[in-house]
Amino acid sequence: MSFWIHELRSKEQSAIYAHKLKFLMISAVVFATIVVSYQIDKRMTIAHWLSNMETSVKQSRNELVNQLSEAVKDIYFLSTNGVFTKTIKSNNLAELQSFFISFSSLHEEYEQIRYIDHNGLEVVKINHVHNERPSASSNLQDISHKDYFMKFANLPKGSVSISKIHNTKIDSTNDHIHPFILIAAPIFDSDGTYNGMIIINYSVPHFLEMLVNPISQEEDEGHLHLLDSEGNHIFHSHNYAHHENLKRYLDVIPKPNQSSEQANLSFESEGEIFEVAFFYEYSSIKQAIDHNLQRFSLHIEEPFLAIASMSNKNDVLSEPRLRLWTEILISILFLFSLMYFLRRNFKLKAETSKALFKAEKLSKALEQTSDLITITDKNGNIEYVNNALCETTGYVQEELLDQKPSIFKSGQQTDHDYKELWNTINDGHKFQGLIVNRKKDGSLYYEEKTISPLFDSNQNIEGFISTAKDITHSEIGKRALYDGLTAAANRDLFMDRITHKLLEHERKDSEFSILYLDLDEFKAINDLCGHKVGDDVLQGFTKLCLSAVRKSDTVARLGGDEFAILICDHSNRSRLEIIANAIIDGTDKFGQTWLPTDCKLKVGVSIGICTVKPSEKVSSTDEIIFKADKAMYESKRNGKNCFSFFH
């Protein structure tokens, strides 16, 4: 038993290790999948942001190019318009102011338009404050000392110049700045005389309003910035007035290669993601207006401007990280559920394994025990028999399954006995008793039987189990089936075997014979020599009869000095005579050895023989015994110690 327990525990330990290994492998696969999924999600998210940021900066750049191109074309138109130059030459200031006011009212981004003569004096100045009508300014200044005037004064005819971005504080009480770009064009009359210049103050905030409200309005476009080439300005789409971080951004943003056509860059730095759109040498502006204007030249102070979209990487990756934590939480819940399932499954398998182990051991025990085991359902249908029962009865298991136990019925018990048996076990009680059953070959065997009901979990009977010991050859069995003195079959066993042969005769038209034997002078021997001598005679005579027949035949003591022999197979008359003569001769020869030397009596035997032939009708076993007994009495009348056939 300890070996079984050790074996079961070893199997449990192996199963536990296998379940732990399975759980670890699944956990590793789950978390590896999460990591790979997060990396893919992160890359796809960054790529998505960069794509949207690239679209945003390109649209913003194109918008700025278009607006500056329109401003260049406008100032070029003014500087080369004949009507305009005539008005200047005639010094009609009122008409010039009116012309500028009308022109400025069409362009809100032109916050100031000035006509400056060749000496640097402001002749006409129109201011256009946001959301107000343009108006002429009386505050005219001499700008001849200004750097930008000296640069613009040398512009050739038919040219336009664009300055760097200029900053002007709105007032002295705060740090808010007002960036603008100067766009200038010289004025020449028809004979080529230089008359001064027109300067438009182009309002950068007007463009930055577009940066504050991006064109596509997408959250994942990043924050837009406008940068110049010197690091003096940076304008943020959420707060473009502050540019204290420009130097840091300008340092990390790569400068464009002016000889290259590459105008867009994407990169990461210090936890920020950048998408930058450059336009340098204002080539795109020049291309936009060269198509419509002849003999046009463009002078640009700024090497390049850049519109950059910047996004904080933590913000960009917030959704992937949220999805990551969601996946982790779901995975943890999944793994806890899996752990619970595996533990429950393991316990179930362990319990099942134990149950199967016990069932296997029980099955082996049932198969290997010498007891006869039968299990039936509650209706008495056989569901299981063990090898010992099959070996004892001569049946194979397939012949007995789904049969009733009555297949073993011998007829030795009454119907009342069987009724009492079934009443006992159907009431939930155990039956114990001695049962005489019949084997497949028709022979009887005695069982010391116990039948117990089997209960389900609700204490309802679901079947029965019968355990029995074959006691046929035990002392109890021998006393029940065999004569205690001679060990020959008793009357009950002999009558049962005749009954079985008679049934076989009716089925198969078989032939068998009965020899009825009675010892001559036995009563005198018993009276004169004593019962002990009589017992010796009976025992010696039984051995003589057994030696005269085959093992398949049955020698029985019916009572007192009466014996009977069942010859089971077909036997012709001559063989029966040989058997009878052998018994008579043997009695003559050995009879005296069974008696004391001083006994003057002689043992003899009278034999009656009855043969049941094929197709012969026999009403009962008593009829056969009667016929054999009648033939035996005929031998008595014929002088004893002889045999006679029934006719």
Side-chain angles (χ1 to χ4, degrees):
M1 187 68 180
S2 60
F3 170 75
W4 293 354
I5 294 174
H6 176 73
E7 182 181 355
L8 185 59
R9 285 178 178 173
S10 297
K11 290 182 178 179
E12 286 182 354
Q13 291 297 326
S14 298
I16 291 172
Y17 175 78
H19 276 74
K20 286 182 177 179
L21 182 61
K22 184 187 295 183
F23 178 77
L24 291 176
M25 290 178 65
I26 293 175
S27 301
V29 170
V30 168
F31 284 108
T33 302
I34 290 174
V35 170
V36 173
S37 175
Y38 173 66
Q39 294 298 325
I40 295 173
D41 190 12
K42 184 169 68 172
R43 291 182 182 180
M44 291 180 66
T45 300
I46 292 175
H48 172 73
W49 275 68
L50 287 174
S51 176
N52 286 347
M53 290 161 65
E54 180 183 7
T55 301
S56 177
V57 296
K58 283 183 177 180
Q59 288 177 337
S60 300
R61 180 188 64 184
N62 293 338
E63 182 66 20
L64 180 57
V65 168
N66 290 336
Q67 291 190 23
L68 289 176
S69 298
E70 287 298 319
V72 169
K73 286 190 287 184
D74 286 345
I75 199 169
Y76 183 81
F77 169 77
L78 290 174
S79 66
T80 58
N81 186 276
V83 176
F84 181 69
T85 56
K86 288 181 180 179
T87 304
I88 291 175
K89 193 170 184 179
S90 64
N91 201 25
N92 189 348
L93 298 183
E95 186 178 352
L96 192 59
Q97 286 180 351
S98 177
F99 187 83
F100 276 3
I101 288 173
S102 299
F103 192 80
S104 179
S105 63
L106 299 175
H107 299 279
E108 189 176 358
E109 65 273 20
Y110 300 165
E111 62 182 17
Q112 192 177 77
I113 302 177
R114 290 176 290 170
Y115 166 58
I116 302 167
D117 66 14
H118 64 281
N119 294 318
L121 298 176
E122 293 179 338
V123 178
V124 176
K125 178 165 37 177
I126 305 300
N127 294 327
H128 190 178
V129 181
H130 185 60
N131 293 328
E132 295 181 8
R133 290 181 59 81
S135 61
S137 174
S138 60
N139 185 20
L140 301 176
Q141 299 177 3
D142 182 0
I143 64 167
S144 59
H145 61 284
K146 299 286 186 179
D147 291 341
Y148 66 84
F149 174 76
M150 289 185 281
K151 291 180 181 178
F152 293 156
N154 296 319
L155 289 174
K157 184 179 181 181
S159 63
V160 177
S161 179
I162 301 177
S163 72
K164 294 184 178 180
I165 296 177
H166 293 265
N167 279 334
T168 302
K169 283 191 177 182
I170 296 175
D171 57 53
S172 60
T173 61
N174 57 50
D175 293 331
H176 290 290
I177 60 174
H178 188 77
F180 61 90
I181 297 173
L182 298 178
I183 305 175
I187 301 174
F188 291 86
D189 58 18
S190 58
D191 58 4
T193 303
Y194 175 64
N195 292 323
M197 65 185 72
I198 299 174
I199 297 179
I200 296 177
N201 288 22
Y202 179 85
S203 175
V204 174
H206 176 79
F207 170 72
L208 295 180
E209 288 180 1
M210 184 267 295
L211 297 182
V212 173
N213 300 299
I215 296 171
S216 60
Q217 295 293 323
E218 294 290 339
E219 294 182 358
D220 51 2
E221 291 177 339
H223 300 158
L224 291 171
H225 301 258
L226 180 62
L227 294 84
D228 70 2
S229 61
E230 295 181 356
N232 294 320
H233 308 281
I234 181 168
F235 306 106
H236 194 290
S237 60
H238 287 188
N239 187 5
Y240 60 79
H242 291 82
H243 55 87
E244 63 273 10
N245 293 325
L246 170 65
K247 289 291 186 181
R248 178 166 69 88
Y249 288 129
L250 194 63
D251 290 339
V252 299
I253 294 178
K255 306 301 185 295
N257 183 356
Q258 298 187 21
S259 63
S260 170
E261 294 182 359
Q262 176 67 35
N264 289 84
L265 292 173
S266 300
F267 63 97
E268 295 183 30
S269 178
E270 299 182 7
E272 306 285 353
I273 300 174
F274 289 91
E275 179 70 30
V276 185
F278 293 100
F279 52 100
Y280 46 88
E281 295 186 355
Y282 292 96
S283 58
S284 54
I285 300 175
K286 186 173 176 58
Q287 291 172 1
I289 60 181
D290 271 354
H291 180 71
N292 298 318
L293 302 178
Q294 302 295 326
R295 298 180 304 279
F296 167 78
S297 64
L298 183 64
H299 300 272
I300 304 164
E301 292 185 3
E302 194 76 69
F304 67 88
L305 289 178
I307 296 178
S309 177
M310 184 191 74
S311 297
N312 185 278
K313 196 169 184 179
N314 289 329
D315 295 337
V316 173
L317 298 180
S318 61
E319 290 190 7
R321 285 171 180 165
L322 178 61
R323 289 192 287 269
L324 171 66
W325 283 111
T326 302
E327 291 174 358
I328 290 175
L329 290 176
I330 293 174
S331 298
I332 290 173
L333 290 175
F334 166 74
L335 291 174
F336 271 113
S337 301
L338 179 63
M339 183 186 299
Y340 172 77
F341 170 77
L342 289 176
R343 289 185 64 183
R344 184 174 180 181
N345 187 47
F346 171 75
K347 288 182 179 180
L348 181 61
K349 284 186 176 181
E351 292 174 359
T352 304
S353 177
K354 289 179 181 179
L356 290 174
F357 183 77
K358 291 179 181 178
E360 182 182 354
K361 297 303 179 184
L362 178 60
S363 176
K364 289 181 179 179
L366 293 177
E367 290 299 324
Q368 295 174 9
T369 183
S370 60
D371 291 351
L372 314 183
I373 308 296
T374 305
I375 298 176
T376 70
D377 62 17
K378 63 182 179 180
N379 297 317
N381 298 309
I382 296 175
E383 294 179 334
Y384 170 81
V385 292
N386 69 344
N387 288 334
L389 185 137
C390 292
E391 291 172 359
T392 298
T393 62
Y395 289 100
V396 294
Q397 194 175 59
E398 289 73 16
E399 293 176 310
L400 298 176
L401 295 180
D402 296 325
Q403 297 292 329
K404 300 285 187 181
S406 57
I407 192 173
F408 304 118
K409 189 174 181 180
S410 66
Q412 298 294 311
Q413 277 80 27
T414 64
D415 291 340
H416 176 75
D417 293 334
Y418 286 116
K419 184 176 180 181
E420 286 296 316
L421 184 156
W422 279 104
N423 287 339
T424 299
I425 60 178
N426 280 325
D427 287 341
H429 302 298
K430 183 186 296 184
F431 168 83
Q432 289 180 316
L434 188 67
I435 300 291
V436 182
N437 277 335
R438 189 180 301 282
K439 300 179 182 180
K440 185 178 181 180
D441 63 4
S443 60
L444 300 177
Y445 67 100
Y446 275 66
E447 289 182 319
E448 194 175 57
K449 184 183 287 290
T450 298
I451 304 176
S452 303
L454 300 174
F455 299 95
D456 60 17
S457 58
N458 296 320
Q459 295 302 304
N460 296 318
I461 295 176
E462 62 179 359
F464 304 96
I465 180 170
S466 166
T467 60
K469 292 185 180 294
D470 182 4
I471 60 170
T472 305
H473 301 291
S474 67
E475 290 301 320
I476 297 175
K478 287 179 180 178
R479 285 196 296 271
L481 296 175
Y482 296 92
D483 179 60
L485 176 64
T486 64
N490 63 15
R491 175 180 285 273
D492 289 338
L493 179 58
F494 185 74
M495 296 302 292
D496 181 78
R497 290 186 177 177
I498 293 177
T499 301
H500 179 67
K501 288 304 295 183
L502 185 59
L503 292 173
E504 183 181 306
H505 164 74
E506 292 174 354
R507 272 193 328 270
K508 301 180 180 180
D509 284 338
S510 60
E511 180 179 334
F512 65 95
S513 300
I514 299 293
L515 278 68
Y516 201 98
L517 306 92
D518 184 84
L519 293 176
D520 300 329
E521 308 300 333
F522 179 76
K523 184 177 184 303
I525 293 171
N526 223 14
D527 291 340
L528 294 176
C529 300
H531 291 287
K532 175 64 173 66
V533 174
D535 290 345
D536 292 341
V537 171
L538 293 174
Q539 291 174 344
F541 182 72
T542 300
K543 292 179 181 179
L544 174 64
C545 292
L546 288 171
S547 66
V549 296
R550 291 173 296 192
K551 289 184 178 181
S552 59
D553 300 326
T554 301
V555 176
R557 182 189 174 202
L558 303 183
D561 61 348
E562 294 181 348
F563 290 81
I565 299 175
L566 170 63
I567 307 299
C568 292
D569 59 353
H570 172 72
S571 300
N572 54 32
R573 185 183 182 93
S574 61
R575 182 172 181 275
L576 294 173
E577 290 175 353
I578 291 172
I579 293 173
N581 285 324
I583 293 173
I584 293 171
D585 295 342
T587 302
D588 288 340
K589 181 177 180 180
F590 300 107
Q592 290 306 116
T593 63
W594 305 333
L595 299 172
T597 56
D598 59 347
C599 182
K600 303 299 183 181
L601 297 175
K602 182 179 179 182
V603 180
V605 60
S606 297
I607 303 174
I609 303 172
C610 175
T611 297
V612 178
K613 298 186 178 298
S615 302
E616 182 180 346
K617 300 298 182 181
V618 180
S619 59
S620 65
T621 56
D622 291 337
E623 180 185 346
I624 303 171
I625 296 297
F626 173 77
K627 291 178 179 180
D629 183 53
K630 187 176 181 180
M632 183 272 296
Y633 276 105
E634 185 178 347
S635 297
K636 292 279 190 183
R637 290 191 294 269
N638 291 335
K640 301 181 180 180
N641 206 30
C642 63
F643 63 87
S644 301
F645 284 92
F646 176 80
H647 299 287

